[in-house]
Amino acid sequence: MLERELITRLTARPDGVDARKRAAAFCTQVAGVVVTRYLLRLEPVASMPPDEIVRLFTPSSATPCSRTVRPIPRRRAGWVVARPLPSWAGR
């Protein structure tokens, strides 16, 4: 239901490549704010006035909704960054 009501409707707005994925990214951000504010009641988000939440989260929420989204660079297959295990990890 959530997918049909939100993501499908939002997909009609942002044109271009990956419109459905970008709409899902936007919904994920909004859901995170809702969970943080109303379910977990984590401060300072829980006590922020609505206009402050809008001010703080608009830039990051607007990115997936824009038509021009920078592509995420992909790693080449086979590239592995090897790091030694910390001493507490055991071997």
Side-chain angles (χ1 to χ4, degrees):
M1 179 183 134
L2 193 61
E3 180 182 355
R4 182 183 71 239
E5 293 299 321
L6 287 176
I7 296 175
T8 303
R9 288 183 184 193
L10 285 172
T11 302
R13 296 220 176 232
D15 297 344
V17 179
D18 295 332
R20 187 166 186 80
K21 289 179 184 177
R22 291 185 286 125
F26 172 78
C27 288
T28 301
Q29 290 175 340
V30 171
V33 172
V34 169
V35 168
T36 300
R37 183 174 171 92
Y38 297 107
L39 297 179
L40 301 176
R41 298 176 193 245
L42 296 176
E43 292 297 339
V45 177
S47 62
M48 282 183 191
D51 59 330
E52 188 172 359
I53 289 177
V54 170
R55 184 182 60 80
L56 287 174
F57 290 100
T58 295
S60 63
S61 298
T63 300
C65 296
S66 68
R67 292 176 188 232
T68 57
V69 177
R70 291 183 309 176
I72 298 171
R74 299 184 186 261
R75 292 185 178 186
R76 287 188 170 160
W79 282 24
V80 177
V81 177
R83 294 188 180 120
L85 290 173
S87 59
W88 54 263
R91 301 229 184 240

